[in-house]
Amino acid sequence: MAAKQERTFIAIKPDGVQRGLVGDIIKRFEQKGFRLVAMKFPPVIASEDLLKQHYIDLKDRPFYNGLVKYMGSGPVVAMVWEGLNVVKTGRVMLGETNPADSKPGTIRGDFCIEVGRNIIHGSDSVESANKEISLWFKPEELVSYQSCAFSWIYE
Ligand code: IDP
Ligand code: MG
């Protein structure tokens, strides 16, 4: 089972931080059974360079500049979570990119309204998770430890 563990990059965006949703969001990942392996503390105001790199795949989209500005407009809480299928399941927990299409019970479905203020980022594949984790964190900032609840969460 340990071999199937993977990691995802989750970031609470400036609107999520300003609106006081940090605790609620972390709580959902904790309650699910995923394991926190890294978190930037204090929260960081990301540089334009970092954000441009983070969203490089979207560089030709009309909202790219606004997105980079929004993401740099205040502190973000950058985290790495670990668990079985955490990339895919994390995306399900986030909801759709556009909160209007997100079901109640998802983070975006419960806490926000517009696509340009959708409060949270989550990696969309294992490959992009690895890229994003190495962009935001140094290897020594990720901690490996055994969860005492492991055998109560996994068969
Ligand atoms: P994702 O965050 O669900 O993976 P992406 O398509 O990767 O969605 O887009 C990255 C971010 O860009 C979104 O979370 C959202 O903040 C922003 N974004 C996406 N589409 C639009 C748009 O049409 N207008 C404004 N912002 C957008
Ligand atoms: Mg994306």
Side-chain angles (χ1 to χ4, degrees):
M1 179 55 68
K4 290 190 191 159
Q5 298 283 309
E6 63 186 32
R7 290 172 171 181
T8 192
F9 176 71
I10 299 289
I12 305 172
K13 297 178 176 181
D15 45 348
V17 175
Q18 293 285 353
R19 293 180 53 209
L21 299 172
V22 172
D24 280 304
I25 290 169
I26 291 177
K27 188 178 172 76
R28 289 181 182 220
F29 282 85
E30 274 193 320
Q31 281 181 327
K32 178 75 176 165
F34 291 135
R35 212 151 56 95
L36 183 63
V37 299
M39 178 162 66
K40 291 265 180 212
F41 191 84
V44 290
I45 299 182
S47 70
E48 193 178 321
D49 277 359
L50 172 63
L51 293 170
K52 283 188 162 166
Q53 194 55 39
H54 175 81
Y55 281 124
I56 193 75
D57 293 348
L58 300 173
K59 67 177 187 316
D60 297 325
R61 305 297 288 275
F63 56 84
Y64 180 68
N65 287 335
L67 173 61
V68 168
K69 197 169 167 224
Y70 152 55
M71 287 294 289
S73 65
V76 300
V77 175
M79 299 176 278
V80 178
W81 287 88
E82 186 175 85
L84 181 66
N85 293 324
V86 67
V87 172
K88 187 162 175 275
T89 303
R91 293 285 296 196
V92 173
M93 290 166 65
L94 261 60
E96 301 301 317
T97 301
N98 188 342
D101 300 327
S102 301
K103 293 201 169 57
T106 64
I107 293 167
R108 287 167 173 168
D110 286 348
F111 295 133
C112 54
I113 294 173
E114 280 204 308
V115 69
R117 295 290 181 271
N118 63 358
I119 74 165
I120 185 164
H121 168 82
S123 309
D124 63 6
S125 66
V126 173
E127 193 197 355
S128 46
N130 291 337
K131 253 192 253 170
E132 291 167 4
I133 290 167
S134 61
L135 191 62
W136 288 77
F137 289 93
K138 300 183 195 115
E140 63 269 25
E141 291 176 315
L142 308 172
V143 64
S144 291
Y145 62 100
Q146 186 68 46
S147 162
C148 64
F150 193 89
S151 60
W152 298 105
I153 294 168
Y154 298 103
E155 278 190 275

